[in-house]
Amino acid sequence: MPPKTLLICSLCSGDVEAMRRDIAAALTAGADGVELRLDSLGEPPSDEELRGLIDSAGGKTVVVTYRPRREGGQYDGDEETRLEVLHRAVRLGAEYIDVEYDVPSANWADAKIIVSRHDFRRVPEDLGRMAAEMESSSADVKKIAFMSFGPEDALRALDLLRAGRKPTVALAMGEAGALSRIAAGKFGASCSYAAGASGGEAAPGQLTVSELKQMYRWDAVGAETRLFGVIGCPVAHSMSPAIHNTAFDATGYDGLYVPLRIEPGRDNFLRFMDALLSRPWTDWRGLSVTIPHKEHALEYVGSDGCDELCSRIGAINTITIDSGGSLRGDNTDYAAALDALCAAMRIERQELSGKKLAVLGAGGASRAIVAALAHYGAEVVIYNRTLSRAEQLAGEFGASAKPLDAAGDSDAEILINCTPIGMHSHDRAGQSPLAKLPGDVKVVFDTIYNPPETPLLAEARDAGCTCVSGLEMFVNQAAGQFEIWTGQSAPRDAMREVVVARLSGT
Ligand code: NAP
């Protein structure tokens, strides 16, 4: 069996005492070892201080790094002093010394050497040659880190792991490179580096030890793990990794779900998909797709790979990749919304036929819901701030259109809010999209899930209406994806719990 990939916590503490405390905290959080970034200390530590730091790791792996400015560190003194401190660290028992690629080889006695190279500005053009040179050095481990601009750059880091004969660390820095840090264990990296706490990152894009251990299933990931992810921009605060990795934990499915930040633009999406599909050895099985790439996803998969409603909606939020590399597209958003509504009303989808619905908003969420309601024969009126947008959408799906401020006079039995009014951190958070509830309304569905009860829903509850929260739709769309990808039934309660916990900040 290949050696386990170590989770190393990089510590950039400001002084020796703080570093000692940070070592204890990192090991408590579950790190397999620590990297002591001596360049953060200001002054070189004395023998006694250095021994104290190494010993306080209690036999866990210690990497000592004294990074000069030319390689992105903070040390700006003379090279002789720097190397002398590293030699002292070897003498005092450090297991690994990180030595930059341009340092002439020296006798490092018993220490294991990590030869490292960093580019904080770009992906080096000669990545392959650079890796080959480092491969032929006498070092025990080679480490290459470079800045990423899309998740396809993280795939290039995985290429290096795959090709390396010498133990290798390959990291794509920046948010877009997160995959290379999170999935390092699947591809046999020597280690991945993480921060002790958010704000304490030693390099751009580092996640914390707790995030890797708890949200990203560090201990469960291995060579057979299947990969999944969410494509979007932004994705940093997406709840999808938490909800899907929780589902894998709850069912014992060997999967890992990662964030994939792809900048807006069709070409960026296509470049990543082409790069992914040209690497079948990554075992990629599924992708969630969110704003702004849902339309690009439909185009990429093609309407032959989707159901008719996806094509009519013009967008998909789910891509499934089979073991032969063929793609299928789904839109679990519309199914999620219909199921949340029908479950609350205790009816089948077919029973929506002939029912009167008012839908507020004419954007992406509204489009998916209106298309699905029209498909099941409901009578829909779309109310929107920009009337022309409502008219266009209504025209496509045989609905009617009216201005948003006319919604209070609707004669609909069911009202669905697809605007962000009332959503946390929106400039109209804490408000309802309506001046008054329509008189005949009996069911109110707000697609917003943060907060789970919006002012609109609170008013509807007080008026005795059946209420449906966007939380149910959000859980349903993720559960739908899980079921398509794994063929297992989704652990909805565990998935809902993790979303509720994250929304309440626990
Ligand atoms: P979108 O494409 O940007 O559309 C937003 C719609 O809301 C547009 O019709 C827009 O009207 C209207 N709107 C925005 N700000 C407004 C304001 N201040 N006053 C009046 N109308 C306003 O967004 P989307 O993707 O459809 O998402 C809409 C909401 O759906 C999100 O905020 C989210 O809460 C919810 N959603 C929930 C889920 C879930 O799983 N629960 C999934 C997707 C979306 P104009 O046409 O006049 O600009």
Side-chain angles (χ1 to χ4, degrees):
M1 226 171 71
K4 177 179 178 291
T5 300
L6 298 178
L7 179 53
I8 301 293
C9 183
S10 300
L11 300 175
C12 292
S13 325
D15 59 57
V16 171
E17 232 358 270
M19 191 170 273
R20 213 193 301 267
R21 283 196 302 274
D22 291 344
I23 292 170
L27 298 179
T28 305
D32 299 310
V34 288
E35 179 191 34
L36 309 182
R37 285 288 301 264
L38 300 186
D39 50 303
S40 70
L41 294 177
E43 291 300 311
S46 66
D47 271 11
E48 194 185 339
E49 288 171 330
L50 197 46
R51 182 183 290 113
L53 288 173
I54 293 168
D55 288 352
S56 65
K60 297 275 189 178
T61 296
V62 175
V63 180
V64 173
T65 302
Y66 206 5
R67 189 78 73 223
R69 280 193 190 276
R70 65 173 191 278
E71 278 287 295
Q74 298 181 48
Y75 179 81
D76 61 359
D78 67 84
E79 190 68 355
E80 204 178 317
T81 306
R82 192 177 77 88
L83 295 181
E84 185 273 324
V85 172
L86 288 177
H87 276 286
R88 277 203 281 129
V90 174
R91 202 160 28 81
L92 295 168
E95 185 181 346
Y96 284 96
I97 303 292
D98 183 311
V99 181
E100 298 70 23
Y101 73 101
D102 57 356
V103 173
S105 53
N107 179 7
W108 292 99
D110 292 334
K112 297 179 198 159
I113 298 301
I114 301 172
V115 61
S116 66
R117 193 158 183 170
H118 302 80
D119 191 328
F120 287 85
R121 284 168 303 166
R122 63 178 80 83
V123 183
E125 273 172 29
D126 52 351
L127 203 51
R129 187 183 56 76
M130 190 187 279
E133 263 173 34
M134 293 167 80
E135 186 84 26
S136 64
S137 79
S138 60
D140 300 272
V141 178
K142 71 176 195 292
K143 174 188 174 196
I144 302 178
F146 52 83
M147 186 50 82
S148 62
F149 297 92
E152 62 276 12
D153 294 335
L155 295 173
R156 299 184 67 184
L158 304 186
D159 291 342
L160 296 179
L161 294 178
R162 189 158 182 260
R165 276 162 289 119
K166 188 191 278 295
T168 301
V169 182
L171 297 168
M173 294 186 282
E175 189 188 335
L179 160 67
S180 67
R181 298 182 182 279
I182 297 169
K186 172 175 170 62
F187 299 100
S190 283
C191 69
S192 187
Y193 292 86
S198 147
E201 297 83 7
Q206 252 185 15
L207 292 110
T208 66
V209 171
S210 305
E211 283 170 327
L212 289 180
K213 294 282 278 193
Q214 286 163 26
M215 192 181 345
Y216 292 111
R217 315 192 73 224
W218 181 265
D219 296 313
V221 171
E224 303 302 317
T225 301
R226 291 166 183 168
L227 294 186
F228 302 85
V230 53
I231 289 176
C233 187
V235 283
H237 298 292
S238 165
M239 278 205 248
S240 295
I243 198 169
H244 281 287
N245 285 322
T246 296
F248 294 149
D249 270 340
T251 54
Y253 183 87
D254 189 4
L256 172 65
Y257 187 103
V258 303
L260 301 161
R261 182 189 167 102
I262 300 182
E263 297 299 318
R266 177 179 175 273
D267 290 352
N268 294 327
F269 180 85
L270 301 192
R271 189 166 53 243
F272 171 70
M273 288 303 296
D274 288 347
L276 185 69
L277 295 178
S278 69
R279 293 170 172 85
W281 46 268
T282 53
D283 295 328
W284 218 288
R285 292 301 160 84
L287 292 159
S288 308
V289 186
T290 184
I291 293 168
H293 293 298
K294 289 185 185 188
E295 289 84 4
H296 305 143
L298 175 64
E299 181 193 336
Y300 195 86
V301 171
S303 45
D304 288 351
C306 305
D307 69 27
E308 185 209 325
L309 211 39
C310 291
S311 302
R312 293 209 70 202
I313 293 167
I316 55 173
N317 73 333
T318 310
I319 297 176
T320 306
I321 307 168
D322 74 14
S323 52
S326 300
L327 303 183
R328 168 179 154 192
D330 286 281
N331 190 319
T332 66
D333 282 336
Y334 85 72
L338 286 191
D339 291 346
L341 182 63
C342 292
M345 294 178 68
R346 299 170 196 276
I347 60 170
E348 298 297 320
R349 288 182 185 183
Q350 282 67 17
E351 293 173 71
L352 288 166
S353 176
K355 291 211 183 299
K356 289 186 175 175
L357 281 104
V359 175
L360 314 184
S366 168
R367 185 177 176 81
I369 290 174
V370 168
L373 291 172
H375 181 80
Y376 286 98
E379 240 181 72
V380 181
V381 181
I382 303 165
Y383 295 86
N384 196 45
R385 176 176 63 180
T386 309
L387 183 58
S388 57
R389 252 185 122 185
E391 284 169 344
Q392 191 176 342
L393 185 57
E396 278 186 65
F397 295 104
S400 324
K402 291 191 175 169
L404 183 61
D405 56 16
D409 299 324
S410 159
D411 61 354
E413 175 193 346
I414 303 165
L415 181 128
I416 306 181
N417 175 38
C418 296
T419 77
I421 300 169
M423 185 173 76
H424 168 77
S425 78
H426 186 261
D427 58 8
R428 290 190 60 190
Q431 296 181 29
S432 166
L434 295 178
K436 63 168 174 122
L437 276 181
D440 297 334
V441 77
K442 295 192 180 56
V443 182
V444 177
F445 173 14
D446 198 332
T447 62
I448 293 170
Y449 63 85
N450 187 11
E453 186 178 81
T454 57
L456 172 66
L457 281 189
E459 196 186 335
R461 178 171 44 83
D462 290 347
C465 297
T466 298
C467 292
V468 190
S469 167
L471 186 66
E472 290 310 310
M473 175 179 168
F474 184 69
V475 172
N476 281 353
Q477 60 81 27
Q481 294 181 327
F482 179 91
E483 290 176 356
I484 289 168
W485 292 334
T486 67
Q488 300 184 22
S489 81
R492 282 165 194 267
D493 291 345
M495 294 169 88
R496 186 180 298 102
E497 263 169 42
V498 73
V499 177
V500 170
R502 289 177 79 83
L503 290 177
S504 64
T506 54

